[in-house]
Amino acid sequence: MDGATPSRDWSEPVRYPDPAVRVLDRRFRRYVLGSAAVERLYVGCRWAEGPVWFGDGRYLLWSDIPNDRILRWDEITGEVTVWRSPADNANGNTRDRQGRLVTCEHGSRRVTRTEHDGTVTVLMDRFEGKRLNAPNDVVVHADGGIWFTDPGYGIHVNYEGHKAPFELPTRVYRLSPDTLEATVVDESLEKPNGLAFSPDYKTLYLVDTGASHVPGHPHHITAFDVVDGRALASPRVFCDMGAGSSDGIRVDVDGNVWSAAGWGGESYDGVHVFAPDGDKIGEIHLPEGVSNVCFGGVKRNRLFMTGSQSLYSLYVETQGVPYV
């Protein structure tokens, strides 16, 4: 667990403990299971994103943005099927407090909610009369408020959406749980991307991918205080991702931040884990950059990771913060 990660033949079993899981700080060791290995569950995406767990159905949904589809992995059978296609170049997904799917869509430049009967409700597609850029990732606060980022990657090129000019600044928005009224909670980040609340919902972690390809530029995850569940204050650097960049993030019940990691090369790509004080305590090395993560499984102790082209999982000895 503490040495270099060898290349892996995914058609063969791996000897325990999995060398892809690296302990950098003793605080991480308690989360590592000696008889659990990284599993590749599916390969065949063009850019996988937005994993979200449905415990009531024992399945995972995730987006394949360029292929314009949402895929479904069944925990019982291991089967992968197309859940929605076309999917308006869906990106980030989560569930609201009623268990409904909330999705950020690049193609339609909107945030939607899939009702229990399968119908789709548009939650937001404009602000002050102007079209959103391309909503990216989304989380739900304990009070039911929906928070999402709008960096605009879906209008940069036609590959993940439809190329178009920006009508609004890159921002983070909050939708009121009662009225769906939208407010701007931050517009200080160049490209706000992944986001996650701490277990007590008093802190919001926000990824800025605006400088992910700029040599020498800091690649920070920023922490904000959440004020009355409606606003942000006191931004500070939570951690620096170093040679690469974060993307999607999730938090476990102990307050550790599990960050997708990519664009940093073969020894960097995977998942980087940070303690609540911002120290990096562990790594999970994968053969491709990772876009996003979520916790799921019957006990919420299975980490799902969307790689560039694949879906991976790893059992860990912690649980993700429950969203529903």
Side-chain angles (χ1 to χ4, degrees):
M1 289 183 288
D2 301 290
T5 304
S7 60
R8 175 170 298 178
D9 179 354
W10 290 95
S11 65
E12 297 293 333
V14 62
R15 184 177 295 279
Y16 293 139
D18 191 338
V21 183
R22 295 191 63 201
V23 175
L24 305 179
D25 183 296
R26 60 180 180 80
R27 288 175 287 177
F28 187 60
R29 192 172 297 279
R30 60 181 289 199
Y31 303 118
V32 178
L33 295 167
S35 57
V38 176
E39 301 170 67
R40 180 185 257 160
L41 304 176
Y42 178 80
V43 62
C45 298
R46 287 201 169 101
W47 185 252
E49 253 284 10
V52 57
W53 177 251
F54 280 73
D56 40 354
R58 294 187 65 181
Y59 63 87
L60 182 93
L61 297 181
W62 82 97
S63 302
D64 183 3
I65 305 175
N67 282 324
D68 194 16
R69 60 185 183 172
I70 295 176
L71 298 173
R72 180 187 189 273
W73 174 81
D74 188 293
E75 184 183 39
I76 299 173
T77 66
E79 182 182 11
V80 173
T81 55
V82 176
W83 186 78
R84 175 179 289 167
S85 180
D88 285 306
N89 299 110
N91 188 341
N93 299 286
T94 193
R95 299 181 76 184
D96 67 10
R97 308 308 288 188
Q98 289 74 44
R100 297 168 295 189
L101 177 69
V102 180
T103 301
C104 293
E105 298 175 355
H106 280 185
S108 61
R109 298 166 66 170
R110 64 188 186 179
V111 179
T112 63
R113 182 179 67 214
T114 300
E115 309 296 343
H116 292 302
D117 64 4
T119 58
V120 176
T121 300
V122 178
L123 301 182
M124 183 177 177
D125 61 359
R126 295 178 182 270
F127 186 74
E128 296 180 343
K130 298 179 180 180
R131 294 189 72 186
L132 296 176
N133 302 321
N136 189 284
D137 208 349
V138 58
V139 291
V140 176
H141 190 275
D143 66 6
I146 297 169
W147 298 56
F148 71 93
T149 56
D150 189 27
Y153 285 115
I155 58 175
H156 280 203
V157 295
N158 288 316
Y159 186 57
E160 294 188 3
H162 308 291
K163 188 175 181 178
F166 281 73
E167 298 181 30
L168 290 164
T170 55
R171 290 168 167 163
V172 183
Y173 295 92
R174 175 187 181 269
L175 294 177
S176 166
D178 301 318
T179 65
L180 293 182
E181 178 184 2
T183 55
V184 177
V185 292
D186 183 75
E187 53 184 1
S188 66
L189 303 183
E190 185 178 348
K191 289 288 187 183
N193 198 313
L195 70 172
F197 289 106
S198 60
D200 60 7
Y201 291 89
K202 293 181 179 180
T203 302
L204 179 71
Y205 300 100
L206 265 169
V207 173
D208 186 353
T209 52
S212 61
H213 302 292
V214 180
H217 195 288
H219 303 154
H220 292 159
I221 297 177
T222 302
F224 293 81
D225 291 339
V226 180
V227 181
D228 298 327
R230 301 181 177 213
L232 298 178
S234 305
R236 65 268 185 195
V237 173
F238 170 68
C239 69
D240 188 334
M241 293 296 293
S245 176
S246 178
D247 195 336
I249 54 176
R250 287 294 180 265
V251 178
D252 67 23
V253 292
D254 293 329
N256 301 299
V257 176
W258 298 67
S259 170
W263 310 109
E266 186 175 352
S267 63
Y268 182 91
D269 294 345
V271 175
H272 296 194
V273 186
F274 298 88
D277 62 4
D279 290 344
K280 184 160 69 170
I281 59 175
E283 295 175 344
I284 303 166
H285 289 277
L286 295 177
E288 53 188 322
V290 175
S291 65
N292 217 325
V293 298
C294 80
F295 288 92
V298 174
K299 300 178 181 178
R300 294 197 325 277
N301 64 339
R302 193 172 190 178
L303 181 71
F304 292 95
M305 302 160 277
T306 47
S308 309
Q309 301 163 47
S310 310
L311 173 68
Y312 300 90
S313 76
L314 174 69
Y315 282 97
V316 292
E317 189 53 29
T318 187
Q319 295 177 304
V321 174
Y323 294 108
V324 181

